[in-house]
Amino acid sequence: MPSPLRSLTLGLCLLAPLAAELRAQSQAQAVAEPRLRVLLQEAPDLTVRAPASGGLRLRDRQGRVLQELGADQVLRLRFNGGWVEADPEPLAAAGGADAPAINAGVELWIEPVAPPGAEPSLWLQQRRYRGQLQILPKAERLQAVNHVPLESYLPSVVGSEMPASWPIEALRAQAVAARTYALKGRKPAAPFDLKATVASQVYKGVEAETPSTRAAVAGTRGLVLTHGNVLIDAVFHSSSGGSTESSGDLWSSQLPYLVSVPDFDDDAPVRQWRQPLDAALLAKAFAEIGGVQTIQVLSTTPTGRVRQARVVGPSGQLLLSGAQLRSRLGLKSTWVRFEQELLPGAEVMAQELAGSGGLQVPPPPPLLSPSPPAIQLVAVGRGYGHGIGMSQWGAYAMARRGDSYGQILEHYYRGTQVRPYAELVLAGLPQPGSGSVGSMALASGSQP
C-alpha cells in the first residue's frame, strides 16, 4: 500500500499541469499569440499554388496589392538579378492568355484568400501551409518564409516529429517541448526564426496534422517549460539507447536541467544497431587521407558516447569530435564502437577452406603477393540522435505505462516547471526573441 506522503506527491504531480492549463487559458486572452517565421524552402525557383477553394493575393514590400490569383492557379517564382520575379500561370478553364511576369522587387508577400467559413492555406511545392509566405532573394536563391501563428504551427510539428498514433500524453509532452523550443528560437534580427527541417524541428505543413496532434496542442495551449523564469532549451531526440546525455558532456555548456537520466526506450527499433561501412563510403568520407585503415576512439562521455576519435588512413590521420565522426559516416548516434568483420563472400570461402575435406590451397606464385583479407569495418551503436533532453521513444513508453505529460517532461528536463507563456509576458520577464536575452547555441531540437 503506498504511503500517504507518496500519494500526496503523485497527486501534486498530476494536478500541477492541470493548474497550468487553467492559468494558460485565462491569461492567453490578455496576450497576443506569438507568430513564427519558418524557412520552408530555399531554391532558385519555387512554385506556389492557390487552394481549390479561394485564391492568393500578392503584395509588395510596402503592402500594395500587385495581383490576385484564383482557385488552383499556379504561381512560378524565380530569382532574377537580385529581384523576385513572379509569373502567374493562366487558368486553362478560363482560356486566359499569358500575363506578363511581375517584378516584385526585393520582397514579395503571398497571402491565401479563403471563402467564408473556410480556413486560408496555400501550397508551396508539394506541401500545404497556413499563414503567409514572404519571398526573399538571397545569394542567387529565393527563401520562402512562412509567417504563421504559434498554435497553428504546432499540430504539424507534433505530427512530423512523432507518430500521431502514439498515446496522447506523449503527444502532449512533444507539444510542450516543441512550443518551448520554437519560442526560445525566435531571432528578431534574422530573416527567419526556425527551419522546417531537423536543423530546427520538422514542420511538414497541414497534411502532417491529425485530430490527435491538434488535440495534443489544444490540450496544452500556451504551456511552456521554464527554469528560473526563463524558457529552457527543450531539445529532444528519437532514442538515447538506454541513458540520455548531460549537455556539458557533448556541448559547450552544462545546463542544470539537461542532465543524464535513465531512458525507457527498450521498444525503439534504433535502440541498438549495426551499420556496415564499405570501402567506397570510407574513401568518400575521408578523401583527404585516402580512406580509412583504422578508427580509434580516444575518449568517451560517462554514458559511452564518443567524445574524440582518431581516423587513420593511408596518407594521414584526423582528430575528430564524436559529432564530426557521426556526420561524416552518417551514423545514427555517437554512442558507437567499431569492429572488423569478414565480408559475406569471404566468410563462406574461409569456411570452405577450413572444412573437413582437408582442401589444400597451393601457395601463390613467388612474384605475387597474397591479397589482403576481405574485411570491412562495422559501426555498432545505440540510440538515434544527440541523446540530450527528451527521448521520444522514452516518452512513448512512459505514456503507455500511464505517466502524464507533466511527469514525462519532469523526468527528461529536471527541475523545470510547466507554466503559461503568457504568465512570463505579463510579468515582464525578458525572454529570448524579445531582443534582451539570447538563446544558447545548442544543437537542434529534433536533430536525429
Side-chain angles (χ1 to χ4, degrees):
M1 179 177 180
S3 69
L5 179 59
R6 186 179 185 279
S7 298
L8 177 60
T9 302
L10 178 60
L12 291 174
C13 288
L14 295 173
L15 287 173
L18 176 60
E21 289 173 28
L22 295 175
R23 294 201 312 276
Q25 293 170 8
S26 63
Q27 293 170 341
Q29 299 175 357
V31 176
E33 181 179 354
R35 293 180 68 86
L36 299 173
R37 300 167 302 154
V38 186
L39 178 65
L40 302 179
Q41 296 276 342
E42 195 167 15
D45 303 280
L46 297 169
T47 301
V48 178
R49 178 165 56 88
S53 60
L56 298 175
R57 182 175 295 123
L58 311 186
R59 297 182 184 272
D60 64 13
R61 192 175 191 176
Q62 285 73 39
R64 294 173 298 206
V65 176
L66 300 174
Q67 191 165 342
E68 295 197 359
L69 279 64
D72 271 333
Q73 195 164 357
V74 174
L75 180 68
R76 308 285 182 188
L77 303 173
R78 288 184 293 274
F79 178 92
N80 188 357
W83 307 92
V84 181
E85 186 176 272
D87 190 5
E89 290 189 357
L91 288 172
D98 287 344
I102 301 167
N103 189 330
V106 295
E107 187 175 341
L108 174 66
W109 287 85
I110 306 172
E111 58 188 51
V113 179
E119 187 172 30
S121 64
L122 52 76
W123 291 86
L124 173 66
Q125 309 296 84
Q126 302 302 314
R127 290 180 176 161
R128 184 162 63 102
Y129 300 93
R130 295 189 175 88
Q132 301 169 304
L133 279 186
Q134 180 189 23
I135 309 298
L136 299 168
K138 176 74 172 178
E140 299 187 0
R141 299 162 75 87
L142 296 178
Q143 292 182 332
V145 180
N146 186 200
H147 290 240
V148 61
L150 172 64
E151 301 297 327
S152 297
Y153 159 81
L154 288 171
S156 173
V157 172
V158 174
S160 301
E161 287 284 359
M162 187 174 275
S165 59
W166 279 14
I168 188 65
E169 293 303 307
L171 297 176
R172 286 173 174 163
Q174 182 66 66
V176 176
R179 182 182 293 109
T180 307
Y181 183 86
L183 288 170
K184 179 87 170 182
R186 290 188 295 171
K187 307 173 186 69
F192 56 86
D193 302 313
L194 304 162
K195 294 184 178 182
T197 67
V198 293
S200 296
Q201 48 190 6
V202 183
Y203 171 52
K204 295 181 180 179
V206 176
E207 271 54 50
E209 299 177 9
T210 69
S212 64
T213 69
R214 286 190 285 268
V217 172
T220 62
R221 185 178 180 88
L223 295 180
V224 294
L225 285 159
T226 64
H227 188 277
N229 291 326
V230 176
L231 292 171
I232 73 165
D233 285 284
V235 292
F236 48 90
H237 59 280
S238 176
S239 160
S240 76
S243 179
T244 69
E245 191 63 84
S246 296
S247 64
D249 286 322
L250 284 181
W251 298 339
S252 59
S253 298
Q254 177 58 57
L255 296 176
Y257 48 85
L258 291 179
V259 296
S260 178
V261 299
D263 200 5
F264 310 103
D265 59 342
D266 292 12
D267 293 333
V270 289
R271 193 177 194 271
Q272 299 185 60
W273 47 267
R274 293 174 63 85
Q275 181 177 330
L277 306 171
D278 61 43
L281 183 150
L282 295 173
K284 182 177 180 180
F286 297 98
E288 69 266 51
I289 57 172
V292 174
Q293 293 172 325
T294 61
I295 298 178
Q296 304 163 357
V297 174
L298 301 179
S299 63
T300 62
T301 67
T303 62
R305 292 173 173 85
V306 175
R307 200 193 298 270
Q308 189 177 57
R310 177 186 290 116
V311 181
V312 179
S315 58
Q317 57 181 267
L318 296 171
L319 279 178
L320 300 175
S321 68
Q324 291 169 330
L325 183 65
R326 180 191 172 202
S327 176
R328 289 213 186 197
L329 294 176
L331 303 175
K332 292 179 175 64
S333 75
T334 59
W335 195 339
V336 63
R337 69 179 191 275
F338 298 93
E339 299 178 351
Q340 289 185 331
E341 68 178 19
L342 286 172
L343 291 168
E347 188 174 348
V348 170
M349 183 179 295
Q351 291 171 354
E352 290 176 351
L353 295 177
S356 59
L359 177 65
Q360 299 296 314
V361 182
L367 297 180
L368 296 178
S369 300
S371 299
I375 292 175
Q376 76 172 357
L377 203 60
V378 178
V380 181
R382 301 173 67 172
Y384 191 9
H386 47 59
I388 299 174
M390 186 177 72
S391 158
Q392 292 166 318
W393 276 98
Y396 166 79
M398 291 183 69
R400 286 197 65 184
R401 76 184 188 189
D403 290 329
S404 70
Y405 74 88
Q407 291 170 308
I408 294 170
L409 295 170
E410 170 59 25
H411 176 72
Y412 289 107
Y413 306 107
R414 291 299 172 98
T416 60
Q417 298 81 44
V418 177
R419 59 194 297 194
Y421 179 67
E423 188 176 283
L424 305 179
V425 177
L426 291 173
L429 298 170
Q431 297 298 321
S434 66
S436 55
V437 179
S439 175
M440 193 179 85
L442 295 180
S444 65
S446 62
Q447 186 177 22

